[in-house]
Amino acid sequence: VPDPHDRPYAGILLGNFSLLSDIDTSRSVLMLSLGVAGPGAGGEQLQNGFHNLIGQDTVKGWSYQIPNTPAVELLSGRTWRLPIAQPGSLEIDALPSLTAAVGDVRDYVQAGVTVRLVHVLTSDFGAPRLHPGLSG
């Protein structure tokens, strides 16, 4: 029996639908995530299947997970590209980012910055990331 003061088990499965708008100096993202939290997400099968694969005991708390619940999230974010310097054959830039999301699973605001120092910078916006996270 799980600890009554802890959060219940819950798998979550989301599909993301994104619109991106790039210009030379920034990227804007608008994303809608739709899915399910609960048994329909397959969290129990995924976790216990992996535990079986690596020879570990299965997790017993999944029978206490939340019932199937719709999961919706709307996210908006922007990343700016700011050139800093070109010392010799190197290039340095910064990619500050700001993201906000609201939904029935989570609400959050996050800020971050990536600083790149490379031989030849490309016109991208950094490494792609899974959400929640800064858009790449």
Side-chain angles (χ1 to χ4, degrees):
V1 177
D3 181 344
H5 303 291
D6 199 0
R7 294 181 182 184
Y9 278 54
I12 186 167
L13 179 65
L14 295 170
N16 296 329
F17 305 92
S18 299
L19 294 173
L20 300 175
S21 175
D22 287 350
I23 60 173
D24 287 342
T25 58
S26 69
R27 166 175 283 175
S28 299
V29 178
L30 182 63
M31 184 175 73
L32 176 65
S33 298
L34 300 173
V36 63
E44 177 181 10
Q45 294 83 356
L46 181 65
Q47 184 180 37
N48 285 335
F50 184 75
H51 280 205
N52 285 332
L53 183 70
I54 64 172
Q56 297 293 313
D57 292 336
T58 59
V59 177
K60 307 296 187 228
W62 283 104
S63 59
Y64 295 93
Q65 78 173 302
I66 65 173
N68 282 328
T69 305
V72 179
E73 180 178 272
L74 182 63
L75 175 143
S76 179
R78 177 161 292 169
T79 300
W80 295 268
R81 186 176 321 136
L82 305 174
I84 296 175
Q86 289 186 320
S89 65
L90 296 176
E91 294 180 64
I92 304 170
D93 75 354
L95 304 172
S97 297
L98 183 61
T99 303
V102 295
D104 61 356
V105 175
R106 60 187 165 234
D107 300 320
Y108 62 94
V109 175
Q110 62 186 20
V113 65
T114 300
V115 176
R116 303 186 295 175
L117 169 69
V118 297
H119 179 64
V120 177
L121 277 171
T122 58
S123 61
D124 64 12
F125 288 91
R129 296 170 183 86
L130 294 175
H131 284 279
L134 298 174
S135 174

